[in-house]
Amino acid sequence: MDILETDAYDRRQRRNMSCVLFLALLPFFLCTSMYFHLWIPESAPSTFAAAVKCSPVVSLALLVLCYNGGWSLVGVAGGLFLSAGGDVCLIWSKYFLHGMVSFGAAHLLYSTAFFSQRYSSSSSSFSTFLLASITLWGVGGGFYYYILPFIQKAPDAAILTPAVAVYILLIVTMAMLAVRTRRSLTLLGSLMFMVSDLSLALQVFKVIEPSPRGRLVVMMTYYLAQLLIAIGDVTLGGTQDEGLGKRKRV
């Protein structure tokens, strides 16, 4: 009977957490809806446009910070805040390199979080990790080789050529460590981030012609990536807490 009561209690706890989390995500959904509703033209950069663009990610950063505390500033919350800074920079094309640096730093913090003891309790097997790593490095390296001629046509190619290589290294490392966590939300979020950034690079370096549809793909996959990474981090903490409570009651 005690086991049945414990299971029922755990189910109620999970339902309650899901409801609370959904309500906590309402600011993100509202901010995202506002961004796509306004759909500010790229030819009209402004402080208002920057605020609208980064507001969904800032709301996620505050959510993770509220759930996991100040230490998450050196993990997922910090990565989200840095990503929001990158969003602001990319509003103005002349700050593209600054935005790349900000997002690169965000990937470093995500990697730090995914490599931490908090995530390592569910680490994947070595063979799975090795196969995924080879695949990710192959995709990253192949993509860089493909767009390199286009990067070298840019006015500041001397800086961008090594900068893009380092950035790809950082995002592939982040995705590789996400595989290591063996958490579906975290892994899917990291892969969506790669899709978003690779799609953006194709347009920025004129591999394909920039278009509203291409921009839509970039932003939809980007916001989805950040949402999945944030939820993955928040629910990881909740799962651990429930597990502790369950051990105490048994």
Side-chain angles (χ1 to χ4, degrees):
M1 188 65 181
D2 184 57
I3 294 176
L4 293 176
E5 290 176 354
T6 298
D7 290 341
Y9 177 83
D10 287 343
R11 285 195 296 272
R12 286 197 300 272
Q13 287 291 90
R14 286 193 290 271
R15 283 197 299 270
N16 291 341
M17 182 179 179
S18 297
C19 291
V20 171
L21 184 56
F22 175 77
L23 292 174
L25 286 169
L26 286 179
F28 168 80
F29 294 126
L30 290 172
C31 291
T32 305
S33 299
M34 181 182 297
Y35 172 81
F36 286 112
H37 174 69
L38 295 175
W39 199 238
I40 299 168
E42 291 185 310
S43 58
S46 65
T47 303
F48 176 72
V52 170
K53 185 179 181 183
C54 74
S55 60
V57 179
V58 170
S59 71
L60 291 176
L62 293 174
L63 171 66
V64 175
L65 195 60
C66 289
Y67 264 82
N68 295 335
W71 62 267
S72 60
L73 287 172
V74 292
V76 170
L80 288 165
F81 278 123
L82 285 169
S83 295
D87 289 332
V88 171
C89 292
L90 293 184
I91 287 289
W92 292 273
S93 57
K94 63 181 179 180
Y95 295 127
F96 177 77
L97 190 60
H98 299 76
M100 190 187 302
V101 170
S102 188
F103 278 112
H107 294 318
L108 275 175
L109 289 185
Y110 288 148
S111 297
T112 299
F114 301 159
F115 192 66
S116 68
Q117 186 62 35
R118 184 164 172 263
Y119 277 86
S120 63
S121 59
S122 56
S123 296
S124 62
S125 66
F126 179 75
S127 58
T128 301
F129 177 70
L130 181 62
L131 179 61
S133 299
I134 292 172
T135 303
L136 289 169
W137 284 117
V139 170
F143 183 81
Y144 180 72
Y145 179 78
Y146 176 68
I147 66 169
L148 183 57
F150 298 91
I151 298 174
Q152 291 173 339
K153 295 177 184 177
D156 46 357
I159 298 175
L160 284 174
T161 300
V164 172
V166 171
Y167 185 84
I168 289 177
L169 184 149
L170 291 173
I171 195 170
V172 169
T173 300
M174 184 271 290
M176 187 177 68
L177 291 174
V179 172
R180 177 180 176 271
T181 67
R182 208 171 60 182
R183 295 185 60 82
S184 56
L185 291 177
T186 302
L187 174 57
L188 186 58
S190 70
L191 294 178
M192 284 293 102
F193 217 137
M194 285 189 67
V195 170
S196 176
D197 280 0
L198 298 186
S199 301
L200 177 62
L202 290 174
Q203 297 177 70
V204 168
F205 298 116
K206 305 296 190 296
V207 180
I208 61 174
E209 192 65 30
S211 66
R213 181 176 295 179
R215 182 182 166 204
L216 183 64
V217 170
V218 170
M219 295 311 300
M220 287 185 67
T221 52
Y222 170 68
Y223 284 138
L224 178 60
Q226 300 285 31
L227 175 65
L228 293 172
I229 290 173
I231 294 178
D233 195 65
V234 167
T235 54
L236 176 63
T239 302
Q240 289 176 333
D241 290 341
E242 288 176 12
L244 285 172
K246 185 173 180 178
R247 282 195 295 271
K248 288 178 180 178
R249 290 190 302 274
V250 173

